[in-house]
């Protein structure tokens, strides 16, 4: 039984035309798989390698380098990145991250027991003028406070 | 005299990210004209004359970078847009791509025409999802309108632009790390030479330019090299290696100011002017203590150095690495420089790619020491050890392949040389019994 379904395979193959080598489609492929499965399990690595005519070790080498991809278990429905770099740290980003660790009862990188939220620290989200900033999946939120975060999380289902 | 923004001229418009609004403001007229009236060589020459230097941090002259491409190469030549803006304190490329993606694309198309590249990759960090959406929409609009694809605007020139999304690694902003990452590998920077212009992406001649640099190219083609050179700081007369700092620059102002934001000014505005004129002064009625000068890597200036002009040469006179990205992070009088340096060391230890031992270990040792100091177990001699690390890691002392370790070293060197008293006081107060200790102590671990 394959872990990559037909649609993901099709999408990976559609990336190939952009590059002169198949290996160059590794990052796009990893993104597509991580988006679909919430992580990139070892079996997916093997299947990506087959599609791209690489050794699984080559894909694994790339996968392991980039922090974005999850390997062990799927990320939560909401992946919440809290910026801890200097612009945000100067305006309360680190305290926000601590607050969320306590509230969600996880360490950065971990997912809540109900599988809903994965908490992460981020190194500079590039939103320093909105400090402290957080990124939730594809949405950036700026000027965050404990109250605003509580409100936001409350709306998540 | 008030300065009229050029790079940010469109961002206040409603739907500024769309082709219709961009064209209504005169967008792509320069491209149309250049394709008719200028040869690729003419564009290179124009950019060389303008004195444009790369806006991504290193400040290398853009026209010269292009001129390193082999002449009469059969191709393909590749072009990479460096949109992996990850330097702490830096966000201006994000603002540009979100609010005016066509400006970046027009600059990209012109630059590809100049360098005869037929494929361009926009290396975009995943942390910028809105940029991704807007840049992709802009690319699609351009393809439909004939600005991209085969025979751009009926000319012989063809160009495809693809977005390549990163996955969370600061080192991908280093141009050969970026190239490795597009090729599908871990982003370990390459040993140079060969430089990318000779052997880069897929082992072919390659140019890597920053987003803001490309926006400048668009305006240089529109307005001429003379316009560009009418702003900025001329070369230092006593420094034959300074080609001057010309043109407008975007500054990302953040930290403890009343109005953080992305602001445009001619190169040469001082740190203090930026904070007062644009940022509305320091927040909460406090005084400033220091500022990150141009992205974390460049180091810090003390408040007494706030008259430093933000151009390519002046920051070096106050012990900083350079202008960097123009990301100014202001720290007020209540903020601890110990916290600052801990934050900085943690960033670089986390982002070191691990390829070169001095960087991998050096950034980690520096972090261990800062963890220990913060935990109240610091010793005065740690400060000298930190400086020793700062002096010995990086491409400048010649111990690493890329500049990441230099970037780690500058915050250490500038913070410790300018705020040494604060560090010593902190250590003596938090570790009254052990600050003179010289015996080895165990490490506190944590990245």
């Amino acid at each position: 039984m394959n872990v990559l379904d037909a649609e993901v395979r099709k999408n990976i193959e559609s990336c190939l035309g952009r590059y002169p080598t198949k290996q160059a489609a590794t990052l796009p492929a990893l993104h597509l798989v991580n988006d679909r499965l919430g992580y990139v399990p070892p079996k997916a690595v093997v299947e990506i390698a087959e599609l791209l005519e690489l050794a699984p070790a080559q894909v694994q080498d790339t996968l392991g380098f980039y922090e974005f991809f999850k390997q062990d278990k799927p990320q939560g429905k909401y992946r919440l990145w809290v910026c801890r770099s200097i612009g945000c740290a100067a305006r309360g980003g680190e305290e926000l991250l601590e607050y969320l660790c306590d509230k969600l009862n996880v360490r950065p990188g971990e997912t809540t027991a109900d599988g809903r939220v994965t908490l992460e620290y981020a190194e500079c989200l590039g939103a320093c003028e909105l400090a402290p900033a957080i990124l939730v999946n594809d949405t950036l939120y700026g000027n965050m406070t404990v109250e605003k975060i509580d409100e936001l999380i409350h709306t998540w289902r | 005299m008030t300065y009229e923004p050029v790079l940010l001229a469109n961002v206040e418009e409603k739907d500024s990210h769309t082709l219709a609004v961009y064209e209504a403001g005169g967008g792509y007229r320069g491209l149309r004209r250049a394709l008719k009236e200028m040869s690729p060589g003419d564009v290179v020459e124009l950019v060389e004359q303008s004195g444009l230097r790369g806006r991504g941090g290193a400040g290398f002259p853009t026209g010269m970078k292009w001129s390193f491409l082999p002449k009469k190469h059969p191709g393909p030549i590749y072009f990479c847009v460096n949109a992996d803006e990850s330097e702490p304190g830096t966000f201006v490329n994000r603002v540009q791509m979100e609010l005016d993606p066509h400006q970046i694309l027009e600059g990209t198309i012109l630059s590809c025409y100049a360098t005869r590249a037929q494929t361009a990759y926009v290396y975009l960090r995943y942390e910028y999802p809105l940029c991704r959406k807007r840049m992709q929409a802009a690319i699609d609009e351009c393809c439909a309108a004939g600005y991209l694809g085969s025979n751009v605007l009926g000319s012989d020139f063809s160009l495809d632009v693809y977005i390549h999304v990163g996955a969370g690694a600061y080192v991908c902003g280093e141009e050969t790390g970026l190239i490795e990452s597009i090729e599908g590998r871990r982003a370990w920077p390459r040993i140079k030479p060969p430089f990318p212009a000779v052997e880069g992406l897929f082992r072919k001649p390659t140019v890597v330019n920053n987003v803001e640099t490309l926006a400048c190219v668009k305006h240089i083609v529109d307005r001429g090299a003379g316009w560009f050179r009418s702003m900025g700081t001329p070369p230092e007369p006593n420094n034959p290696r300074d080609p001057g700092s010309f043109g407008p620059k975007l500054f990302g102002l953040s930290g403890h100011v009343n109005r953080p934001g992305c602001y445009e000014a001619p190169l040469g505005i001082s740190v203090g002017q930026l904070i007062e004129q644009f940022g509305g002064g320091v927040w909460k009625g406090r005084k400033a203590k220091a500022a990150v000068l141009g992205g974390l890597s460049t180091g810090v200036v003390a408040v007494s150095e706030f008259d430093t002009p933000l151009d390519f040469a002046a920051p070096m006179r106050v012990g900083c690495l350079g202008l960097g990205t123009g990301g100014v992070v202001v720290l007020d009088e209540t903020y601890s420089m110990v916290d600052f340096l801990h934050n900085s060391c943690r960033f670089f230890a986390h982002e070191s790619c691990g390829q070169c031992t001095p960087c991998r270990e050096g950034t980690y040792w520096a972090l261990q020491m800062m963890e220990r100091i913060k935990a109240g177990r610091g010793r005065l001699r740690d400060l000298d050890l930190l400086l020793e690390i700062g002096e010995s890691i990086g491409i400048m002392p010649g111990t690493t392949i890329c500049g990441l370790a230099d970037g780690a070293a500058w915050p250490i060197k500038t913070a410790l040389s300018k705020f040494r008293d604060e560090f010593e006081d902190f250590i003596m107060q938090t570790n009254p019994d052990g600050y003179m200790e010289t015996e080895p102590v165990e490490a506190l671990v944590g990245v």
Side-chain angles (χ1 to χ4, degrees):
Chain A
M1 181 69 184
N2 290 330
V3 287
L4 303 190
D5 60 36
E7 193 188 338
V8 169
R9 285 167 184 271
K10 201 179 101 224
N11 289 339
I12 294 174
E13 273 158 9
S14 74
C15 297
L16 293 174
R18 298 179 206 163
Y19 308 101
T21 69
K22 287 195 168 183
Q23 184 172 17
T26 303
L27 272 188
L30 291 171
H31 273 296
L32 286 165
V33 173
N34 201 80
D35 285 352
R36 181 57 153 246
L37 304 176
Y39 72 140
V40 187
K43 224 168 162 276
V45 170
V46 174
E47 290 176 32
I48 292 170
E50 277 166 12
L51 279 173
L52 303 182
E53 295 171 16
L54 299 167
Q58 287 173 292
V59 177
Q60 180 63 41
D61 186 69
T62 302
L63 168 65
F65 184 80
Y66 297 93
E67 298 237 321
F68 176 77
F69 305 116
K70 288 282 178 197
Q71 295 186 59
D72 302 332
K73 44 184 166 187
Q75 62 197 23
K77 184 176 173 197
Y78 296 96
R79 199 158 173 196
L80 195 172
W81 305 81
V82 183
C83 182
R84 65 173 192 176
S85 285
I86 188 65
C88 283
R91 293 178 79 120
E94 304 212 44
E95 290 77 10
L96 220 49
L97 182 60
E98 270 174 40
Y99 172 77
L100 281 164
C101 286
D102 288 345
K103 182 182 170 79
L104 301 171
N105 196 24
V106 288
R107 300 299 309 156
E110 293 175 356
T111 303
T112 51
D114 60 4
R116 224 157 55 101
V117 186
T118 301
L119 181 66
E120 308 267 6
Y121 60 73
E123 296 295 2
C124 203
L125 287 174
C128 318
E129 86 277 36
L130 304 170
I134 64 169
L135 181 69
V136 183
N137 296 343
D138 278 357
T139 311
L140 180 70
Y141 298 89
N143 300 311
M144 291 312 287
T145 58
V146 164
E147 292 76 27
K148 283 190 200 172
I149 288 221
D150 282 344
E151 246 173 71
L152 185 67
I153 292 182
H154 190 69
T155 64
W156 293 352
R157 289 287 170 263
Chain B
M1 198 180 79
T2 46
Y3 171 76
E4 196 66 36
V6 174
L7 299 167
L8 294 179
N10 290 338
V11 301
E12 302 283 323
E13 303 279 331
K14 188 173 180 288
D15 295 327
S16 60
H17 58 281
T18 60
L19 179 59
V21 172
Y22 185 70
E23 282 180 326
Y28 291 112
R29 258 184 241 162
L31 174 69
R32 227 174 256 280
R33 192 176 48 80
L35 289 180
K36 275 200 197 111
E37 297 171 10
M38 297 173 84
S39 71
D42 292 342
V43 181
V44 177
E45 202 174 307
L46 180 70
V47 171
E48 278 188 314
Q49 282 168 3
S50 74
L52 171 63
R53 295 171 68 177
R55 271 24 181 177
F60 194 83
T62 305
M64 194 191 288
K65 198 179 209 182
W66 293 356
S67 73
F68 291 156
L69 288 167
K71 308 284 176 277
K72 301 204 168 76
H73 191 274
I77 289 169
Y78 290 106
F79 197 93
C80 301
V81 180
N82 190 341
D84 190 51
E85 181 177 60
S86 311
E87 178 70 31
T90 310
F91 54 89
V92 297
N93 291 171
R94 192 196 90 243
V95 172
Q96 289 184 289
M97 289 186 285
E98 284 181 358
L99 297 177
D100 203 355
H102 281 287
Q103 179 183 215
I104 311 307
L105 279 181
E106 187 174 1
T108 304
I109 299 167
L110 284 162
S111 303
C112 287
Y113 177 66
T115 56
R116 302 171 197 267
Q118 298 201 345
T119 309
Y121 298 99
V122 179
Y123 192 98
L124 181 65
R125 65 192 307 231
Y126 81 84
E127 289 92 336
Y128 287 180
L130 184 58
C131 293
R132 183 174 168 187
K133 193 173 140 204
R134 296 248 164 110
M135 287 292 286
Q136 188 57 56
I139 291 170
D140 294 343
E141 283 181 311
C142 279
C143 289
Y147 295 124
L148 283 176
S150 304
N151 304 103
V152 173
L153 296 172
S155 69
D156 296 340
F157 167 62
S158 301
L159 176 66
D160 291 313
V161 178
Y162 303 108
I163 294 176
H164 189 93
V165 179
Y170 171 72
V171 78
C172 291
E174 200 277 347
E175 58 181 11
T176 58
L178 182 150
I179 285 170
E180 286 287 317
S181 186
I182 294 180
E183 290 189 13
R185 289 189 289 269
R186 58 173 57 212
W188 274 7
R190 294 178 183 170
I191 294 172
K192 295 158 279 267
F195 287 93
V198 175
E199 191 183 306
L201 186 60
F202 306 116
R203 305 285 157 184
K204 300 293 180 192
T206 302
V207 171
V208 184
N209 281 150
N210 167 266
V211 166
E212 189 185 340
T213 310
L214 298 171
C216 290
V217 169
K218 175 237 156 19
H219 293 290
I220 290 165
V221 170
D222 276 3
R223 294 159 182 255
W227 162 78
F228 198 76
R229 291 184 78 89
S230 71
M231 281 173 266
T233 314
E236 279 182 42
N238 303 325
N239 182 357
R241 291 172 64 189
D242 176 23
S245 309
F246 297 109
K249 175 83 187 82
L250 296 180
F251 296 98
L253 181 61
S254 65
H256 298 151
V257 289
N258 284 314
R259 287 196 302 272
C262 172
Y263 301 111
E264 179 176 341
L267 279 167
I269 187 174
S270 75
V271 180
Q273 281 173 322
L274 190 70
I275 294 169
E276 292 307 321
Q277 286 175 20
F278 292 100
V282 180
W283 75 347
K284 300 181 180 176
R286 292 181 190 157
K287 292 192 182 73
K289 179 194 273 187
V292 172
L293 185 117
L296 187 57
S297 294
T298 57
V300 288
V301 283
V303 67
S304 59
E305 297 164 325
F306 275 16
D307 58 348
T308 307
L310 289 161
D311 61 29
F312 288 106
M316 293 180 230
R317 297 199 291 269
V318 288
C320 290
L321 176 60
L323 176 67
T325 57
V328 177
V329 188
V330 180
L331 302 174
D332 75 22
E333 57 192 335
T334 68
Y335 197 74
S336 161
M337 294 311 284
V338 176
D339 286 345
F340 162 77
L341 193 56
H342 173 261
N343 188 289
S344 173
C345 289
R346 185 180 64 190
F347 174 80
F348 289 104
H350 184 257
E351 294 301 333
S352 177
C353 79
Q355 185 176 202
C356 309
T357 308
C359 175
R360 184 185 65 239
E361 300 302 318
T363 54
Y364 191 60
W365 290 343
L367 174 62
Q368 285 181 329
M369 274 189 272
M370 286 312 302
E371 294 261 335
R372 203 165 62 214
I373 290 170
K374 256 191 94 162
R377 305 230 304 276
R379 304 161 307 164
L380 291 177
R381 66 188 288 257
D382 288 339
L383 302 179
D384 291 323
L385 278 174
L386 278 164
L387 280 173
E388 193 184 327
I389 291 173
E391 295 293 343
S392 44
I393 61 174
I395 207 165
M396 290 180 189
T399 58
T400 61
I401 290 170
C402 88
L404 190 147
D406 300 85
W410 247 263
I412 296 175
K413 289 191 275 194
T414 50
L416 288 181
S417 64
K418 297 172 188 186
F419 298 94
R420 180 122 189 168
D421 291 351
E422 186 179 334
F423 283 88
E424 290 183 352
D425 288 349
F426 181 90
I427 290 171
M428 288 191 279
Q429 277 165 25
T430 54
N431 190 13
D433 300 325
Y435 66 85
M436 291 298 286
E437 227 173 82
T438 54
E439 291 299 304
V441 289
E442 87 281 18
L444 288 179
V445 182
V447 177

